[in-house]
């Protein structure tokens, strides 16, 4: 299983060179969820998901979520 950082709004995955891709196999693989979470918290994104990607079956497993250092979303009142 590959551990990836996903942008839940665009469904893109963080690459090794800090770009985003729609192709999960091209995303940066992390050795554990904690390492991915630490990197994601420093990225200039809002919400993020830490997902497990099983390449053989192309399945995703949501492992964790959080918010990066991007701008917070506002909801009109």
């Amino acid at each position: 299983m590959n551990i990836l950082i996903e942008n839940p709004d665009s469904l893109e995955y963080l690459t090794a060179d800090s770009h985003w891709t729609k192709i999960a196999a091209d995303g940066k693989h992390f050795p554990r969820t904690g390492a991915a979470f630490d990197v994601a918290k420093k990225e200039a994104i809002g919400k993020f998901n830490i997902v497990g990607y099983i390449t053989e079956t192309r399945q995703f497993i949501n492992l964790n979520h959080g918010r990066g250092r991007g701008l917070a979303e506002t909801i009109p009142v």
Side-chain angles (χ1 to χ4, degrees), residues 62-75:
N62 286 323
L63 302 171
N64 206 337
H65 64 277
R67 181 170 295 281
R69 63 177 176 82
L71 296 174
E73 298 174 9
T74 58
I75 300 172

Side-chain angles (χ1 to χ4, degrees), residues 2 4 13-17 19-29 53 55:
N2 298 319
L4 308 169
Y13 308 93
L14 186 67
T15 64
D17 58 355
H19 291 97
W20 295 93
T21 181
K22 289 276 190 188
I23 303 167
D26 292 343
K28 180 178 180 179
H29 304 172
Y53 177 63
T55 55

Side-chain angles (χ1 to χ4, degrees), residues 41-70:
K41 292 289 286 182
K42 297 174 186 170
E43 284 295 318
I45 58 173
K47 295 183 288 185
F48 64 82
N49 292 328
I50 305 299
V51 297
Y53 177 63
I54 303 168
T55 55
E56 295 83 9
T57 60
R58 297 183 182 172
Q59 292 177 306
F60 291 93
I61 302 167
N62 286 323
L63 302 171
N64 206 337
H65 64 277
R67 181 170 295 281
R69 63 177 176 82

